[in-house]
Amino acid sequence: YYGWQRIGGNEASGGVIELLGAFAPISNIDDILLALRDAGFGVAAVEFAALSLIRQLNALKLINKALPHLIIHVAASGFDFMVVKNGNLYFDYFYPWSLIQADERSIPLDKLKEVVSSEMSKVFNFYVSNWGGQIKNLLVITPTLEEEFKSMATEKFPDSKTEILSPERVMVVGGAAIRGRTPRGEDFDISLTSESAAKIFEQEQDLHFIAIWRNILFAVAGFVLLVF
């Protein structure tokens, strides 16, 4: 499945339109959708975690839309590096713990700092080569090692402004909930399904409407039968 959404640009006078695209294997998404529907849930949209996270950061006004940001999300499966520009997600890069740990049973702090610094440098260079300028605002969402991340960023990138955020304050599920409250007809964000979020919701509403009238007809027919 694939999806896209507009994130910037000006189409007037032959200008450039900027689009964000996402792709996911059909089998992976279908397994999740089937499990949710079997459990009685209606699925309005499917999106990747970074998009949900940026949506909540914007809602909490933790992103200055006038400046580019690098967001590092420390999760159970690894690091998620996100470049945000104009309040929109422009780039998402995931680095799993397994690549750092290799065959070792634990991850030394020095090795962790080395890998994170190296990957940050790659992301910074990628931003410079594609959009020019520098990223000086860094947000780190981590449940542990807060001071270590802050000192590492200060030592390696002294010009950057680093802010540490707790995962209890900024959560992927929070951004998904914000999208869930958005009217489906106004939801134009990426949805990794075979149909758009608005179309899926419309179909579910139709089925719900039919189910209600079916129950009403059965009730009326039963009442008439009882009277006779």
Side-chain angles (χ1 to χ4, degrees):
Y1 293 127
Y2 62 90
W4 63 272
Q5 68 187 57
R6 182 170 176 168
I7 56 176
N10 183 9
E11 56 186 311
S13 303
V16 176
I17 300 176
E18 296 178 309
L19 305 175
L20 176 68
F23 306 83
I26 288 177
S27 58
N28 293 359
I29 300 298
D30 284 350
D31 287 344
I32 296 172
L33 294 179
L34 182 61
L36 289 171
R37 286 170 182 167
D38 286 346
F41 290 97
V43 178
V46 177
E47 66 181 13
F48 51 100
L51 200 59
S52 298
L53 200 64
I54 300 305
R55 186 181 296 111
Q56 191 183 32
L57 286 170
N58 278 316
L60 294 174
K61 299 185 186 317
L62 295 173
I63 293 178
N64 184 347
K65 294 186 178 182
L67 301 171
H69 292 69
L70 172 62
I71 315 294
I72 302 179
H73 183 213
V74 183
S77 51
F79 293 91
D80 208 359
F81 296 87
M82 293 159 272
V83 171
V84 178
K85 185 170 172 277
N86 301 324
N88 291 304
L89 180 66
Y90 269 67
F91 177 71
D92 182 27
Y93 169 56
F94 183 75
Y95 196 95
W97 288 112
S98 57
L99 290 181
I100 306 176
Q101 188 173 5
D103 297 328
E104 300 178 12
R105 299 187 63 180
S106 61
I107 301 175
L109 184 59
D110 291 341
K111 186 175 182 180
L112 176 64
K113 289 182 176 180
E114 178 185 347
V115 170
V116 173
S117 297
S118 174
E119 297 307 313
M120 285 175 62
S121 297
K122 291 178 184 178
V123 175
F124 285 154
N125 291 335
F126 176 80
Y127 182 86
V128 171
S129 63
N130 281 273
W131 297 289
Q134 294 182 343
I135 301 177
K136 295 186 178 181
N137 290 272
L138 174 64
L139 297 178
V140 182
I141 305 167
T142 177
T144 184
L145 300 175
E146 296 90 345
E147 292 303 320
E148 286 79 0
F149 275 107
K150 194 163 188 175
S151 63
M152 176 195 63
T154 303
E155 293 171 7
K156 183 71 176 179
F157 309 99
D159 293 335
S160 64
K161 177 184 177 183
T162 305
E163 183 177 356
I164 306 297
L165 302 173
S166 168
E168 296 178 356
R169 183 183 180 191
V170 182
M171 298 177 288
V172 172
V173 68
I178 294 172
R179 182 172 187 177
R181 293 195 297 267
T182 302
R184 299 276 66 82
E186 300 174 11
D187 184 0
F188 302 107
D189 286 350
I190 288 173
S191 184
L192 297 174
T193 60
S194 58
E195 298 173 277
S196 68
K199 185 65 176 176
I200 292 173
F201 183 76
E202 182 182 346
Q203 291 175 348
E204 291 179 348
Q205 290 293 92
D206 290 342
L207 292 175
H208 184 62
F209 179 78
I210 292 171
I212 291 175
W213 278 102
R214 180 195 60 195
N215 294 338
I216 292 174
L217 290 175
F218 280 148
V220 171
F223 177 74
V224 171
L225 182 62
L226 181 63
V227 169
F228 276 105

